[in-house]
Amino acid sequence: MTIANHRFTHIEYSLKIPATAGAAPPLTWHGRFDASIVAVSNLLARIATLQTSVAEIYCDQETSFLYRLGGLIDGYRIRFVDRFEDAYVSESFFKVVFSDETPDSNELPPGVIAVFSGAADLCPPGHIHHESLTPERLKRAVLDAIASSDVGVRRTMDALKDTAGFEPEWRPLDFDHTVSPGYYTRALLDVLASLRIRARTGGGADRYDMDELVDLVDVFVRIRQACSPPPRERFPSPAALLYLTDASASRDFAADPSRYTEAALRNRGIAEPRAMATAISYAEQGRTGGDTANAYIGEIERERDLLDRLIALAAASDVAPVVRVPLSNRDVSGEIKRLGEVDRGDGRKTQTLSQRLSEKLAPHLDPWLEYLDSVPSAPLKFVSNLPLEWGFSQGLPLMVRHEVSRIPVGPGYATVPLLLHNDKIHLKPSDLQTILFVSSFADDDPIRDHLKNALAVIQDSSADEERVAQMKAKGLIPKNFQLPARSSGLDVRIDWKNVANTAELIETVNAHAHAITVFDLHGSHDADGGRIHLKDEAVSVFDIHRDLRISPIVLLSACDTSPVDRGHDSVAEAFFLAGARTVLSSALPILSIQASTFLARLVLRIQHCLPADLSHGPVRWSRFVSGMIRRSYFLDLISLLRETYKFDQATKNDLTFQTGMLIDPLHPDWVQGTKAVIADGVGIGIDELDEFVARNAQFLECMKYLQLGRPESIIIGADT
């Protein structure tokens, strides 16, 4: 199934915000969101009730679900502009422009629909007032714009109409429960509205109600059951079965709380130190319904409202429910801080502290993870500042049990564009044929060649059947995969570049338009934020992000590129501002040998596993990387077991092979299957194995790699 010309399929929503005359936009004090975007969150809520595309203008509700679930159309496209006329500069033919001012000319370009966001009695002729912009009204406006367009546009739209089908009226469905609107349901209600499902809202306290949320999430289960794609269609796996968020706040305050006591704030010249200290405590505890007469609390609530509207737009694009749990910074910040301190020290108590962290996460995550126990591996999207990936599920780390990626909720100026990336990036295997590696170390650095040497083994093995057989025996690649022919396009080439300084880094990155860029260097994070360390100098990527043309996929082989125990302004967040769609980053310091092995295995996986995955249909990058993390975890777990139970190399190879067969490709019963294989091979019971994992394998090196950003929006399809 194909959709007609994207230029005419998209509807682009533009919101005019106050111009800053080239200056940096004003930021909110707490989450550092653009204050002018916070001010228009009510318009984002309005957009969430509208259609994502012209295909949805035409089609019925069920077809709309299928398009979104299958990734056939992009999600909501939203831009912020300084002037009404700036919205005209766009590839999309249909543009809905929200503005409290009128355009310079009364003659609007074809396809432009003007929406007035000021007072209703000031709405000029030819504009739609934002409060009266309903899906029905937008449908009429788009159909009128098509009817008045030239013959070429009408011909294209007729083809789209034939593909999508046509429903004359916009038909919503009513949800037969009354829902209490508030902090825990706001985003979920927006998603339902986007899906043409109207929920009755009523009174009640703004509180976390598990039963109410389960009723709402069940709606999505029924949608997915009713909208299975046709058997002959090739759809990627769902982008997300669940968006899970919480009440976590900016990491900056928890990272250095001594700077934010009332006395410290007074000494720094804050006009109302008590009010600010109260607001910081309010956010750290995840409280709601606070006294908005406190201006600082009022701004936190406005930030939360904006965040909910953005999460809803992203989740609606994926037909996924949004569940917010009452988990705050205060609940786990102590465990996270101690885990970071221990990991940076001798590491002997890492497993114990990891277990304590997962126990704190469990009451909030377990009810929703149990909901997914029967799913072999669910794509989960977290929007949080907390490492929810490190929870536990069915005796495995959560990021091993399921496919997990996360969007941090700060700094706001990096979070907003991430949540607005609701379009898809479609890649072919040939786009991954060359990977750029940017390396920078001092000549005498003992780790400077670790990654290069690991990659050399991979490159040699792709031309040497005997070496491949050896690697299969060691469990580095599954035995059921064959080497692809060189003509297949997956004979991955390494484009290795050494740089010494910032100028060389910028020149190198911008000269190579590859889909994947790997940075092999030292990283750090201190009170001033994240740094990458080049041979001649250390640099903040925030200082150079506007000069970079970065790949959509960035892999960081460096320490502390998104440290969970420190503040924001991390290296990963800077790369998002530079244009990356997803960053594989480090939550803590990483070990060079293990990091080099991990990335070499990832290259090997692209070479030898991707063709098999693509034989079943398109593959999301998030799923591909999750498979790599899962594979690495079991390789490391088997090695740990061997240290304790002293079995021979042949047994280790056999366990590696058998578990690999269950997870590449993923067997429906792989969780219990891998446990049974390992327990039988080691000669222990499954209960003893579970106890071993809980005591020794809650936190392995591969779990320091976090999938951040929107990796699910990158879809790899077969070359045609």
Side-chain angles (χ1 to χ4, degrees):
M1 180 182 293
T2 58
I3 296 296
N5 190 324
H6 278 198
R7 166 171 150 73
F8 297 101
T9 302
H10 299 145
I11 296 176
E12 185 168 273
Y13 295 96
S14 293
L15 289 78
K16 179 190 170 297
I17 57 177
T20 56
L27 300 178
T28 58
W29 73 275
H30 181 263
R32 289 189 289 164
F33 289 84
D34 184 330
S36 56
I37 295 176
V38 172
V40 297
S41 64
N42 65 313
L43 300 180
L44 293 171
R46 175 68 58 182
I47 292 171
T49 69
L50 304 173
Q51 296 90 332
T52 62
S53 65
V54 182
E56 292 192 338
I57 294 289
Y58 285 135
C59 70
D60 61 22
Q61 184 187 42
E62 184 174 349
T63 305
S64 170
F65 293 160
L66 188 59
Y67 283 163
R68 295 193 193 191
L69 286 168
L72 291 175
I73 57 175
D74 287 339
Y76 285 100
R77 285 194 163 198
I78 296 173
R79 293 173 62 206
F80 299 103
V81 296
D82 292 338
R83 298 170 55 252
F84 192 107
E85 286 75 13
D86 292 343
Y88 301 165
V89 184
S90 167
E91 66 168 358
S92 300
F93 180 78
F94 294 100
K95 309 172 188 71
V96 179
V97 187
F98 291 78
S99 176
D100 58 359
E101 299 176 1
T102 57
D104 294 340
S105 170
N106 292 329
E107 191 71 27
L108 296 177
V112 172
I113 299 167
V115 181
F116 187 66
S117 59
D121 58 347
L122 299 178
C123 186
H127 289 55
I128 303 170
H129 191 259
H130 73 94
E131 292 178 349
S132 62
L133 182 59
T134 62
E136 299 94 328
R137 182 70 183 86
L138 180 60
K139 185 181 183 92
R140 292 197 303 272
V142 171
L143 294 177
D144 288 346
I146 292 170
S148 61
S149 298
D150 63 45
V151 64
V153 172
R154 294 199 304 274
R155 186 178 296 118
T156 299
M157 301 319 297
D158 283 344
L160 175 59
K161 184 177 178 180
D162 290 342
T163 300
F166 183 67
E167 184 177 60
E169 301 296 328
W170 188 88
R171 300 176 186 272
L173 296 176
D174 291 321
F175 181 60
D176 58 358
H177 288 70
T178 299
V179 181
S180 303
Y183 184 49
Y184 292 100
T185 59
R186 183 166 53 203
L188 191 46
L189 289 171
D190 277 3
V191 176
L192 289 171
S194 176
L195 300 179
R196 312 187 194 188
I197 299 171
R198 294 186 301 204
R200 294 192 305 271
T201 55
D206 184 4
R207 60 187 176 84
Y208 179 71
D209 186 330
M210 178 75 180
D211 292 336
E212 183 175 70
L213 289 172
V214 166
D215 286 341
L216 292 170
V217 171
D218 279 340
V219 174
F220 293 83
V221 175
R222 294 197 293 272
I223 288 173
R224 291 179 183 276
Q225 290 173 341
C227 295
S228 297
R232 281 186 281 181
E233 299 289 356
R234 289 294 188 91
F235 290 85
S237 59
L241 286 183
L242 178 70
Y243 273 66
L244 197 146
T245 186
D246 53 30
S248 58
S250 170
R251 291 199 307 259
D252 293 335
F253 301 96
D256 189 3
S258 63
R259 297 186 67 239
Y260 300 102
T261 63
E262 182 179 345
L265 293 170
R266 181 179 294 107
N267 291 337
R268 287 163 51 197
I270 300 298
E272 298 181 71
R274 176 170 296 179
M276 180 176 277
T278 299
I280 291 171
S281 177
Y282 175 86
E284 290 293 296
Q285 295 177 53
R287 292 163 52 201
T288 63
D291 178 13
T292 53
N294 178 328
Y296 297 109
I297 290 178
E299 190 163 86
I300 287 172
E301 288 298 335
R302 288 190 291 275
E303 287 179 355
R304 287 174 169 179
D305 185 77
L306 171 65
L307 189 64
D308 279 347
R309 305 310 182 183
L310 293 168
I311 294 172
L313 289 165
S317 300
D318 296 331
V319 194
V322 179
V323 169
R324 167 171 275 114
V325 296
L327 176 68
S328 70
N329 286 21
R330 189 68 56 85
D331 293 325
V332 294
S333 60
E335 283 71 22
I336 292 172
K337 183 177 181 180
R338 283 189 288 274
L339 179 58
E341 290 172 349
V342 168
D343 188 75
R344 297 170 198 281
D346 62 18
R348 284 178 294 179
K349 295 182 180 179
T350 299
Q351 299 301 323
T352 300
L353 290 170
S354 298
Q355 189 169 12
R356 290 180 188 172
L357 175 60
S358 67
E359 288 170 354
K360 287 288 185 74
L361 296 174
H364 304 283
L365 300 182
D366 282 0
W368 299 105
L369 298 178
E370 289 169 6
Y371 211 76
L372 300 168
D373 278 354
S374 62
V375 179
S377 180
L380 303 177
K381 192 74 194 179
F382 295 154
V383 184
S384 173
N385 279 330
L386 304 176
L388 305 183
E389 302 93 329
W390 293 347
F392 226 57
S393 177
Q394 291 186 299
L396 289 171
L398 178 53
M399 63 188 296
V400 175
R401 173 65 182 87
H402 292 295
E403 300 160 21
V404 174
S405 64
R406 179 159 58 89
I407 295 177
V409 294
Y413 57 81
T415 300
V416 169
L418 278 177
L419 284 168
L420 289 178
H421 278 317
N422 297 315
D423 56 320
K424 315 293 189 298
I425 294 178
H426 293 273
L427 300 175
K428 302 181 295 297
S430 55
D431 295 322
L432 310 181
Q433 187 171 358
T434 303
I435 301 175
L436 176 62
F437 282 76
V438 179
S439 182
S440 188
F441 291 101
D443 294 339
D444 59 351
D445 195 310
I447 72 169
R448 70 187 302 270
D449 292 326
H450 283 177
L451 180 55
K452 181 182 283 189
N453 292 340
L455 291 169
V457 173
I458 302 303
Q459 288 178 300
D460 289 346
S461 69
S462 65
D464 184 341
E465 293 285 352
E466 183 178 347
R467 292 290 296 280
V468 171
Q470 293 171 359
M471 297 182 82
K472 286 183 178 181
K474 293 178 180 178
L476 295 176
I477 56 176
K479 290 188 177 182
N480 59 327
F481 289 118
Q482 299 297 316
L483 272 173
R486 286 188 176 275
S487 60
S488 69
L490 291 184
D491 183 12
V492 176
R493 294 191 294 269
I494 304 303
D495 190 358
W496 187 276
K497 301 294 181 183
N498 290 306
V499 302
N501 52 52
T502 303
E504 290 181 5
L505 175 73
I506 294 171
E507 181 182 4
T508 298
V509 169
N510 292 351
H512 299 82
H514 300 317
I516 303 176
T517 299
V518 180
F519 289 88
D520 177 37
L521 32 73
H522 289 292
S524 65
H525 191 109
D526 55 26
D528 295 323
R531 298 282 188 277
I532 55 175
H533 295 257
L534 308 179
K535 180 180 179 181
D536 294 343
E537 59 186 324
V539 60
S540 167
V541 182
F542 283 95
D543 293 339
I544 61 172
H545 77 268
R546 291 184 179 84
D547 301 319
L548 293 172
R549 294 191 298 274
I550 202 67
S551 304
I553 300 170
V554 170
L555 310 177
L556 298 175
S557 183
C559 294
D560 279 329
T561 49
S562 184
V564 296
D565 59 330
R566 299 190 175 178
H568 287 297
D569 295 334
S570 70
V571 173
E573 290 159 349
F575 274 113
F576 287 128
L577 292 178
R581 183 63 61 92
T582 180
V583 176
L584 188 68
S585 65
S586 53
L588 291 163
I590 54 178
L591 302 174
S592 178
I593 292 292
Q594 287 87 336
S596 299
T597 302
F598 182 90
L599 283 170
R601 286 173 178 167
L602 184 59
V603 172
L604 197 66
R605 191 173 183 84
I606 293 172
Q607 288 179 298
H608 301 302
C609 298
L610 189 59
D613 288 347
L614 290 173
S615 68
H616 302 289
V619 176
R620 295 186 188 273
W621 180 253
S622 52
R623 183 179 184 183
F624 186 77
V625 173
S626 291
M628 177 68 228
I629 291 172
R630 185 177 294 128
R631 193 81 172 95
S632 295
Y633 178 85
F634 277 97
L635 288 168
D636 293 346
L637 173 60
I638 291 167
S639 295
L640 272 178
L641 286 162
R642 189 184 183 198
E643 291 176 10
T644 298
Y645 293 98
K646 311 300 181 184
F647 49 81
D648 58 23
Q649 182 66 42
T651 300
K652 178 182 177 182
N653 291 345
D654 186 58
L655 291 178
T656 300
F657 168 67
Q658 291 194 58
T659 55
M661 291 288 286
L662 289 166
I663 61 180
D664 273 329
L666 205 63
H667 188 276
D669 193 31
W670 72 273
V671 174
Q672 297 307 318
T674 52
K675 288 183 181 182
V677 163
I678 293 172
D680 183 62
V682 177
I684 59 177
I686 289 180
D687 288 345
E688 185 175 346
L689 174 62
D690 284 342
E691 184 180 345
F692 179 91
V693 171
R695 190 174 60 252
N696 302 287
Q698 283 231 356
F699 189 76
L700 301 185
E701 189 72 12
C702 64
M703 294 171 57
K704 293 181 181 178
Y705 292 97
L706 307 181
Q707 279 202 84
L708 300 182
R710 301 295 292 273
E712 73 283 356
S713 70
I714 300 174
I715 301 173
I716 306 167
D719 284 303
T720 54

